[in-house]
Structure formats: C-alpha cells, structure tokens
C-alpha cells in the first residue's frame, strides 16, 4: 500500500499523519470538498490560503473543485520552491531527521523514496525556512578531488553521531511488474473494476508529481544563473493527467517573462530597451540558449548525468538522466504549442473519469504488445494513442467529449491564445462546458475502441480532434493524426505501415477476445497452488503471448503465429488450465 505522510504545520507535536494517497485521490474525486476538509482538520497550511496571487486565481476557479491547468501549475511550482531534496543514509531516524530540519521552520509535508539510495523530499511551510537551511549547509571537503562550488537544493545528510537502527518507510516510484498487474486484475470481478484498478495502480502518485515539479525547480535554479526570471515548466504526461509512474519528464524553459512580450510599451515619449545580441532566427536563439544551459547542467548540475544536446531535432532539446529522482529528462525551449496540448489533454481528462481510465488501459495494452516503446522509432507513441482515444470518445453516438472547435467557441476573452500563427484558443473554465448524457460502461468503451480502430479507414482518413470527425488524408503517411493546433502537422508521421498493421491486427484480436465468454467473465476457479484466478478480461488482453497464457516459457526464436491461431491457442490453453484446476473437464467459466 502506498502511504503518504503529512505533517501538521506545528512540528512541536511531531505528529505524523498517514493516509493512503490513492484512496485520498479517489475520495477527493467523489467528494470535491474532501481535500479542503482534510487540510483544515490537520491544520495544514495550503499555498492557496497564503498568497494573494493564488487567492485571485481561486476566485475565477470553478466551484466544483476542479482546478484549471494553470492554477494547478502555479500551486505546484510555488510548492516546489519551498521544497528540498535530501539524500539520506539508509538507516535514518525519521523523528530525529524531522526535528533537525524543523529548526529552520515548520514542515508542511515530506516523504521518503528510494532511487540509487534513499532520498527525502521535504516541503517547508515558508520559503524563508529554506534560506535558513541553506545558510547552514556546507560545501563538502574532499581530500583528493575538487568540488564544483555550486549550491543547489539537492543536499546530503551526514550522520557523524551514533548509527540509527530504524529506516523510514519509502514510497515506491515505479509501477508494479506486468505479471503482478495481470494477476491483480484477474482477481477483480468486472472489466470495469479491472480498468479502474489499472488506472489507480499506474497513474502518477501525489508524491511523484511533487518530485517532478521539484526537479523542474532545481533545474530552474541552474538556468536562473543566466535567466533569473525564467520558469521551467513540466509538460506532457507529467502534467496532462495521463502519466504513468516511470514516464519521462518533459520540461519547457519558459523565457516569456524576460522576452518583454508581457511588458506594455508606452505609445509616446521616452522608454528604455535592453541591448541584446541578435540570432539568425528564433530556432538559432533556442539552440544557443539550450546549448549553454545544457553545458551548465552537465558541468554543475548535481545528479544530472548523460547530458546530450540534441539541437538539430525539429524541436531542439537537452536530454539527461536525473539520478536522484530516476527521471529521464527532456528540456526544450520555445515549445509553447506542446504546452498548450498538455493543457488540452488535461482538460479532456478532467471532463469525464472514463477518459483517463480508457487511456491508461489502452496505453498499457499497447506497451504490453510492444505497439509503443521507450526507444524512438517507427512505433505509435503514447501521445498519438491518447489522441486516438479522445477522438474515439468524440465519435460515440452520444459523444463523451466535445470537439476542440466547440471548446474554442466556449472560450472567454482571457482564453485567447495564438502561438506562431496557430489559434490555440479554447475554454479553460470547466463550468462552461456542457456534457452529454452518455452512460456507456468502461467495458463497452474498451470493446468498442478496439472495434473502432480495428475497422478504421486509415488508408483514406486522418484523425482530427478539432473537428471530431475523420477527414480525407492529404499526405501519404500510413497513420495521420493531425496536431490539434497545427493541422498541417501529423503527430504520427514516424509510424510505418508494419506498425500500423500490427496495431490494427491487435485491435481486431482484442475486440474479438472481449466478445468471447472465455475471456469476458471472471473465472470462478482459482489456481490451486496460488489461489489466483486465470487471466481474463483486460488481464487476458495484456498477456504478451499465447505461450505465456498457457504457462509455458517463450522461446526467443519462436515465430509469431497469425492472430486467429494465437487466439485459438489462447482459448485452448485457458480451457485446459481450468479443466486441470477443477478436474472436471467441464470448462472453467462461471
Ligand atoms: N508532442 C506533440 N507532438 C508530437 C509529440 C509530442 O505535440 N508529435 C507534445 C505533446 O504535448 C506531448 C509532449 O509533447 O504530450 C511530450 O511528448 P512525449 O514525451 O512523446 O509524450 P507524453 O505525452 O509525455 O507521453 P509519455 O508518457 O510517453 O512520455
Ligand atoms: Mg513524455
């Protein structure tokens, strides 16, 4: 069970409150006011209650508890600025540690996790506490090596006193292995439960999101050496609601507050301007900036390893691994459209709980069958898959999601946004978005998702969530998914015919499997040795191969059978196994 430890604002009592975060997440969804009550009871100071800036934002927030993308972002960035990341010896006495830190001020919350050693994330109530803590922190003296005298909020705890015996409980930052997942899902009693359970197990935890914002904040401290007013903002699956534990951390170096874009120029009279160097193009400027920041990260960034500057890509980036968090990081600049599509995906995910559930299931299914991969190539990406799910939900007889054009029509004056000539305007206030009364179950939707794409006219049509309908293809790529904010861009241009064929084949197979009684109802019998049920429903869809379903180890050079053969054999193997378990040969399904 994942636990999250919250500390009351008053450290004097040293009380540790323990609450399962997943439960808390779902509870706060069911009861929007739950979060507030929870925080009031424990006397936790929220960022929102303290700063005028956030209070103003809250005034425009919808009353139903759903926060806009930018409100969430602003709160998280502010939280991260009050936080510190500390590498701790494995045996650290939690109470002593907290008492030591709280000399600098009250702690709002903290947690421990493991990644090549144990770390603690500690969030203070006030930013000043951090200043005090850092003032009392020393640069290490190492005899035979020189250290870079670069101060950051990544620290190490040294214990020169007596050795502690206890170790704090660590939060897991990774997903459960696929075989354990399959087993857990098989023990659920309906496909709907399987889908929600998978989502709960895979989605980013509260702690993991805090850690992601903290890594951005640590990186901002490096970039701020050159650009003090810059922001480093996470985008993509870290913030769009579709992130899985272990997903990469996409970051955007936002220099808008420096660029002068937001400064009003006087219509007449004197004014001053900064003298600046000019670059040949915006792209060249981005490349120079990323090159310098990349160098800084490489030379001075504690914990940042394997820094690669990939500056010739369509979207130039600096890639590196942040060892203390275990995140694979991509830092880009001038990538505002991607930021906007993250906001759009977040909004779609918040509109109906079935959206995230379906996306998580489809992403997990695709990964289990190597439709997607962590290595770049001709595969379908998670982003493309997500857009495909959104499109499918727009195409229901009673649509579950509105089209982007409709969201644009609902936008207010503050939502207006044009980036590089592309109109990226859409409504941000959830209360303005009317939803249709669609009551389809997750099981129905999953089944029909596979049917929809198993029979989609990919050779002629493109997928367009702006219009919410397929459009004639204007280019030759096998799979055409139009970028929501730039119709001329195909987000799945990289996908080749073979990969698309595999996707379509698996969709058909999976649709067929979900129609079979052998697969779509729980097996009533359990395997004698383990008391576990044989895989069924979503769990059966995740089985990587027929042999595994049959409990036989896969030989590496084994040829893949045609889909129909695989299904036949899978059915047979399940039937045989059930027969063996029950010993009655009558088939195993209830
Ligand atoms: N993006 C885009 N067009 C693409 C690829 C990516 O606009 N062809 C944007 C999307 O906003 C996407 C973000 O860049 O969410 C990050 O891309 P990526 O890391 O590939 O996808 P994620 O959505 O973050 O999913 P994953 O969990 O696989 O990282
Ligand atoms: Mg990503």
């Amino acid at each position: 069970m994942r636990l999250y430890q919250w500390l009351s604002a008053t450290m004097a009592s040293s009380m540790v409150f323990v609450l399962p975060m997943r439960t808390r997440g779902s509870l706060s969804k069911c009861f929007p006011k739950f979060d507030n009550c929870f925080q009031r009871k424990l006397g936790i100071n929220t960022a929102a209650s303290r700063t005028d800036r956030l209070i103003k934002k809250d005034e425009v927030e919808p009353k139903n508890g759903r926060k806009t993308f930018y409100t969430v972002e602003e709160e998280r960035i502010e939280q991260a600025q009050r936080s510190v990341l500390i590498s701790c010896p494995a045996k650290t006495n939690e109470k002593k540690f907290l008492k030591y830190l709280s000399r600098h001020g009250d702690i709002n919350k903290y947690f421990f996790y493991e990644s090549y050693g144990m770390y603690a994330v500690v969030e203070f109530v006030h930013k000043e506490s951090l200043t005090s803590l850092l003032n009392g922190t020393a640069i290490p003296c190492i005899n035979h090596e020189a250290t870079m005298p670069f101060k950051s909020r990544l620290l190490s705890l040294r214990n020169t006193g007596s050795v502690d015996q206890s170790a704090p409980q660590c939060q897991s930052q990774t997903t459960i292995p696929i075989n354990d997942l399959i087993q857990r899902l098989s023990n659920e009693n309906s496909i709907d439960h399987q889908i929600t359970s998978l989502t709960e197990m895979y989605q980013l935890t509260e702690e993991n999101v805090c850690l992601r914002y903290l890594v951005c904040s640590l990186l901002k401290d490096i970039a701020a050496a050159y650009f003090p007013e810059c922001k480093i903002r996470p985008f993509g699956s870290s913030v769009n609601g579709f992130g899985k534990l272990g997903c990469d951390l996409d970051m955007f170096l936002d220099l808008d507050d420096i660029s002068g874009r937001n400064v009003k120029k006087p219509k007449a009279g004197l004014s001053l301007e900064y003298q600046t160097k000019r670059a040949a193009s915006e792209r060249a400027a981005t490349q120079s900036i990323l090159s310098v920041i990349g160098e800084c990260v490489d030379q001075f960034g504690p914990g940042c390893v394997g820094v690669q500057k990939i500056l010739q890509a369509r979207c130039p980036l600096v890639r590196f691994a942040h060892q203390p968090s275990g995140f694979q990081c991509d830092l880009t600049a001038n990538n505002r459209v991607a930021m906007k599509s993250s906001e759009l995906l977040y909004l779609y995910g918040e509109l109906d709980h079935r959206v995230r559930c379906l996306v998580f299931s489809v992403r997990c299914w695709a990964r289990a069958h190597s439709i997607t991969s962590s290595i770049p190539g001709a595969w379908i990406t998670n982003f493309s898959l997500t857009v495909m799910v959104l499109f499918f939900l727009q195409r229901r007889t009673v649509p579950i999601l509105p089209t982007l054009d409709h969201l644009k029509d609902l936008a207010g004056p503050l939502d207006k946004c044009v980036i590089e000539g592309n109109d990226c305007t859409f409504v941000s206030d959830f209360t303005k978005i009317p939803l249709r009364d669609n009551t389809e179950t997750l099981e129905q939707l999953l089944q029909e998702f596979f049917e929809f794409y198993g029979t989609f006219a990919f050779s002629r049509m493109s997928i367009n969530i702006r219009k919410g309908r397929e459009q004639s293809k204007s280019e030759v790529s096998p799979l055409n998914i139009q970028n929501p904010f730039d119709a001329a861009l195909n987000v799945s241009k990289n996908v080749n015919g073979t990969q698309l064929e595999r996707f379509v084949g698996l969709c058909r197979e999976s649709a067929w499997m979900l129609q079979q009684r052998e697969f779509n109802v729980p097996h009533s019998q359990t395997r004698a040795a383990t008391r576990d049920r044989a895989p069924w429903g979503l769990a059966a869809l995740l089985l990587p191969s027929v042999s595994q379903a049959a409990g036989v180890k896969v030989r590496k050079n084994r040829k893949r059978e045609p889909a129909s053969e695989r299904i036949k054999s899978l059915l047979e193997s399940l039937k045989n196994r059930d027969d063996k378990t029950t010993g009655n040969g009558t088939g195993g399904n209830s």
Side-chain angles (χ1 to χ4, degrees), residues 461-474:
M461 297 304 208
S462 67
I463 289 164
N464 182 321
I465 59 165
R466 177 168 284 285
K467 302 277 168 223
R469 57 174 186 269
E470 45 266 54
Q471 297 195 305
S472 294
K473 252 163 96 164
S474 54

Side-chain angles (χ1 to χ4, degrees), residues 235-238 240 242-244 246-250 314 330 335 337-343 345 363 373 381-384 386 483-484 489-494:
F235 69 99
S237 57
S238 297
N240 65 19
F242 300 110
K244 176 189 146 201
C247 69
D248 68 352
L249 173 57
D250 303 295
R314 189 185 70 80
D330 278 352
N335 196 7
V337 176
M339 203 68 225
K340 214 55 199 169
S341 47
S342 302
E343 183 192 348
L345 262 53
R363 279 188 173 200
S373 166
T381 62
N382 277 327
F383 178 59
S384 298
T386 307
N483 183 306
L489 276 184
N490 173 8
V491 304
S492 51
K493 208 180 169 67
N494 61 313

Side-chain angles (χ1 to χ4, degrees), residues 418-431:
V418 177
I419 301 169
E420 291 153 20
N422 295 307
D423 191 347
C424 302
T425 306
F426 60 91
V427 64
S428 57
D429 179 351
F430 291 98
T431 56

